[in-house]
């Protein structure tokens, strides 16, 4: 599946509400579905917010943290690869590379951005702060998609 619009991506991100994070497959501690404490939607928002604080100019890195859970809602296979393949046409090669590399320790060893992404994702599992709402990210998603479209990366 290739995402062709920000609206399609937003729909998938909203669908992650209630989906457990990879660290809590059985719905362990962390609250009920949709409360953001243990669901993939809340984890993605917290990861992106942490990256925004630490790397305010790197929108692609922030978006890699935001979109990482959508692969679990798509076809079978490695969720990181599914997410990367789905977002590449919309958000570009760098976001896809970061999403794909985040799940693979051997790739992180030589890439500071992947280390930052993994650290933020790990911290977001236990961090307790208001990370905002998904709509806060719409403009960043739209600007990134528009830039990739101008570069000829999106049909």
């Amino acid at each position: 599946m290739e995402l062709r619009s920000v609206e399609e991506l937003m729909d998938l991100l909203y669908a992650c509400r209630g989906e457990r994070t990879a660290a809590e497959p059985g719905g362990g501690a962390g609250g009920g579905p949709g409360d953001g404490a243990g669901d993939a939607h809340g984890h993605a928002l917290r990861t992106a917010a942490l990256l925004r604080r630490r790397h305010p100019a790197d929108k692609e890195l922030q978006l890699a943290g935001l979109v990482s859970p959508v692969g679990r809602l798509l076809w079978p296979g490695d969720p990181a690869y599914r997410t990367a393949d789905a977002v590449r046409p919309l958000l570009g090669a760098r976001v896809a590379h970061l999403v794909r590399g985040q799940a693979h320790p051997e790739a992180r060893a030589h890439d500071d951005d992947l280390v930052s992404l993994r650290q933020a994702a790990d911290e977001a599992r236990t961090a307790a702060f208001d990370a905002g709402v998904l709509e806060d990210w719409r403009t960043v998603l739209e600007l990134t998609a528009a830039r990739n479209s101008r570069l000829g990366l999106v049909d």
Side-chain angles (χ1 to χ4, degrees):
M1 171 181 197
E2 290 183 359
L3 297 170
R4 297 288 181 176
S5 72
V6 169
E7 200 58 44
E8 286 180 359
L9 178 55
M10 295 285 286
D11 288 345
L12 277 175
L13 289 166
Y14 277 118
C16 291
R17 285 184 172 161
E19 291 290 319
R20 304 312 294 174
T21 61
E24 298 176 317
D35 70 357
D39 74 302
H41 179 84
H43 180 260
L45 287 172
R46 288 188 304 277
T47 301
L50 288 167
L51 290 165
R52 180 185 281 170
R53 290 176 187 171
R54 294 175 187 157
H55 305 275
D58 195 342
K59 303 306 182 200
E60 291 173 331
L61 180 61
Q62 297 164 23
L63 292 180
L66 181 69
V67 303
S68 61
V70 301
R72 284 181 264 151
L73 301 176
L74 303 175
W75 60 89
D78 183 319
Y81 283 101
R82 290 189 308 239
T83 302
D85 290 343
V87 302
R88 178 185 301 276
L90 186 64
L91 301 178
R94 182 164 179 254
V95 174
H97 163 76
L98 290 167
V99 168
R100 179 175 282 135
Q102 165 182 355
H104 303 285
E106 66 282 355
R108 291 195 304 266
H110 305 290
D111 189 324
D112 290 341
D113 291 336
L114 289 174
V115 170
S116 294
L117 182 57
R118 181 80 260 156
Q119 288 172 343
D122 289 345
E123 186 177 336
R125 284 188 179 85
T126 58
F129 64 94
D130 181 5
V133 297
L134 184 55
E135 283 300 319
D136 296 340
W137 291 94
R138 183 180 292 275
T139 301
V140 176
L141 287 165
E142 288 171 345
L143 290 171
T144 303
R147 188 186 72 219
N148 285 318
S149 177
R150 283 194 310 275
L151 295 173
L153 299 174
V154 177
D155 293 340

